[in-house]
Structures are given as C-alpha cells and as structure tokens.
Amino acid sequence: MKKTSKKKTAAKAPRAKGGVLLERTDKVILRDKDSVLKIFGPSYKVSLILNEAMNEARAAETGLPVAKVIEVMKLRDHWCIRREWVEGETLADVMDKDRKNLQKYLRQFVAIQCEIFRKTSDRMGNLADKLDKQISASPLPKETRYDLHMKLQSFPRGKALCHGDFNPTNVIITPNGEWRVIDWSHVRLGDPLADVARTYLLFWLSGHVAAAEKYMALACEALKAKVADVQKWLPIVAAAESAKEQSAKNHELLLHWASVVDYE
C-alpha cells in the first residue's frame, strides 16, 4: 500500500547519502545503525514535531508494542525525531508476497487494530477536533462543509486510541512473528468506527479495492458493528483527507465521497 504524498514546499529537508527509507520534498526518513531518523523540512512547525514525538511516547505508555522515541534533536538546523529500529517486514510486503493468504493477514491486521482500540489515554487530543479542522481546510463547497461539521457533531467522540493512519505499511512483522506499529503522528482518541472508515479509505486510495471490502467486513465482524455505521463516517474522513495533496484521480474520488453527506 502506498501512502499519499504530503504538501510540497519550496525548501527541502537535507538529503541523506545512504540508508534512505523514504524521501519527500519536506522530510527524509533514514536508517542510522540501530535507529530511524526522521528529518523534517522547514515547512513543519516545531510545535507539531514535538507533539508528534509526545504522542508516540504516550502511545508507548499504553503498553502497545510501538517503535519507541529515543530523542528529539536538531541536525544542521533541521528538527529530527530518532526512533528505535524495528527489524522485520511490513505487513504490506508480506501480503504482496503471499496474496493467496490475504484473508489471513487481514484478520491479523484487524486484530492488531482492535488491540489498539482497547487502549486509551488521558493526555491525547480527540479525533473529532482534528477532523473538524481538516473539513474546514477541504476544497468542498461551503454548504457541504457546513453539513459535514453538523454531521460530525452528532457522532460520538469516543475515547478509544485511534492510530489515524492505520494501514499495512505501518505494521512491522518481526522475524519471530511479533508485530510493531509505527508512525503514530496522527494518533488521537475517538470512535473506532472513524478509524476503520479511514483505513477502508486508504485501501481504496491505494488501489486495493477488493482488500478494502474484505477489511471492512472483518473489522465490522470484530467490532460487532454494522457496515452502514462505518459508512456514515466515510464523508467525514473523505472530506478530511481531501484537505491533503492527492492525485487527480483520488482527489475526484474523495470529493465524491465527501459530497454524499447521507451515505448509505
């Protein structure tokens, strides 16, 4: 599963000579011996970088097996977060190499997500507040944004830990079969069904439509929820996602979903 790109900026984060895991216009993620270094470009506010590290530390405090934050530092005038290196393969890579067992891996994926939902914290922001701000920043018409704001207010806020970017590329399977979840920069407390809706959307946006439908069925089964209850969140999460830079195809798809306020 490929992640969508972030907004581009004129200035770049410093390029690394080796060990690059991911490189975008405004950040670089690289391996540095037994750690991973995430180097931010000047477009990132310091407060957001510090908050990202804090949220990841709080996620670790719940007892979940996450890649722990080692330090926050400056490197050549760029802020960085150093995390522990986790040996293994992403669940996305495992799925690609063994597609005949997709259902088995999706069950594991859902089980991990449900384990996250069972955790909470008294020191994290709420997902509804973040979604509300993203809707305001979306390119949707003013009337549609207003309807979505009102719809969001009618939904339960929830207190479950929601990863916020839960997809198979953010799950590492270690050589001994254990798992670690990485990239907690978007973690919030909220309704699990909102997080399921976003994961379903991420499968769709990456072109894995069949996997999206199988995931939805498995997640609803595990949470004892109706598919229609998750679908009610889709216009909200689609509108929030449309506030980010997207491909033309995905942008059109998101705007269509976000415009169907009464999704059935």
Side-chain angles (χ1 to χ4, degrees), residues 16 18-23 28-32 35-37 85 182:
V20 174
L21 303 174
L22 176 68
E23 186 169 9
V28 176
I29 301 177
L30 59 100
R31 182 175 180 178
D32 183 21
S35 67
V36 173
L37 198 60
W85 167 258
I182 61 174

Side-chain angles (χ1 to χ4, degrees), residues 30-45:
L30 59 100
R31 182 175 180 178
D32 183 21
K33 297 182 180 179
D34 292 328
S35 67
V36 173
L37 198 60
K38 187 173 184 178
I39 307 172
F40 296 89
S43 68
Y44 282 87
K45 294 181 179 178

Side-chain angles (χ1 to χ4, degrees), residues 106 109-110 113 117 166 195-197 199-200 203 210-220:
L106 284 174
F109 181 67
V110 168
Q113 190 175 28
F117 290 151
F166 195 71
D195 207 46
V196 170
T199 296
Y200 172 81
F203 273 115
E213 301 304 333
K214 291 178 180 178
Y215 160 77
M216 174 76 87
L218 290 170
C220 288

Side-chain angles (χ1 to χ4, degrees), residues 13-255:
R15 291 179 59 93
K17 295 181 179 179
V20 174
L21 303 174
L22 176 68
E23 186 169 9
R24 291 179 179 156
T25 303
D26 51 356
K27 71 179 176 183
V28 176
I29 301 177
L30 59 100
R31 182 175 180 178
D32 183 21
K33 297 182 180 179
D34 292 328
S35 67
V36 173
L37 198 60
K38 187 173 184 178
I39 307 172
F40 296 89
S43 68
Y44 282 87
K45 294 181 179 178
V46 176
S47 59
L48 295 179
I49 296 169
L50 296 175
N51 190 62
E52 177 176 331
M54 184 64 72
N55 278 345
E56 295 201 5
R58 288 168 177 166
E61 288 173 355
T62 67
L64 290 169
V66 308
K68 295 180 175 60
V69 172
I70 299 172
E71 63 178 338
V72 180
M73 56 182 282
K74 289 193 76 174
L75 177 65
R76 299 196 301 276
D77 296 325
H78 289 272
W79 283 92
C80 313
I81 298 176
R82 187 185 298 278
R83 302 175 177 87
E84 67 172 338
W85 167 258
V86 179
E87 196 68 46
E89 293 183 285
T90 68
L91 188 55
D93 288 338
V94 173
M95 288 177 173
D96 285 342
K97 291 192 297 186
D98 189 14
R99 296 183 182 182
K100 65 180 181 180
N101 286 312
L102 176 63
Q103 190 83 354
K104 180 184 77 172
Y105 297 125
L106 284 174
R107 284 190 181 278
Q108 182 183 17
F109 181 67
V110 168
I112 294 170
Q113 190 175 28
C114 287
E115 187 167 340
I116 295 172
F117 290 151
R118 285 191 284 272
K119 303 294 185 178
T120 191
S121 170
D122 59 359
R123 295 186 296 163
M124 281 189 186
N126 195 274
L127 178 59
D129 295 330
K130 179 181 180 181
L131 292 172
D132 199 56
K133 291 179 181 178
Q134 289 177 313
I135 290 170
S136 295
S138 75
L140 290 162
K142 181 179 179 180
E143 296 77 11
T144 304
R145 295 200 307 270
Y146 175 81
D147 288 341
L148 290 170
H149 284 306
M150 294 299 101
K151 187 178 183 69
L152 178 59
Q153 288 183 18
S154 71
F155 287 165
R157 289 175 65 84
K159 295 183 178 180
L161 199 68
C162 296
H163 182 274
D165 191 19
F166 195 71
N167 69 81
T169 65
N170 281 333
V171 178
I172 305 294
I173 306 299
T174 67
N176 62 3
E178 296 179 350
W179 58 268
R180 297 285 188 279
V181 177
I182 61 174
D183 195 357
W184 291 82
S185 58
H186 302 287
V187 65
R188 297 290 190 279
L189 301 181
D191 186 336
L193 299 188
D195 207 46
V196 170
R198 187 169 194 276
T199 296
Y200 172 81
L201 190 66
L202 292 175
F203 273 115
W204 254 89
L205 295 179
S206 64
H208 295 80
V209 178
E213 301 304 333
K214 291 178 180 178
Y215 160 77
M216 174 76 87
L218 290 170
C220 288
E221 177 186 349
L223 293 170
K224 296 181 172 56
K226 296 178 181 178
V227 171
D229 292 332
V230 177
Q231 289 175 334
K232 290 176 182 178
W233 278 98
L234 281 175
I236 300 290
V237 297
E241 196 69 17
S242 71
K244 306 174 185 178
E245 185 178 352
Q246 306 285 342
S247 67
K249 179 181 178 181
N250 284 351
H251 181 73
E252 183 179 352
L253 181 63
L254 287 169
L255 293 185

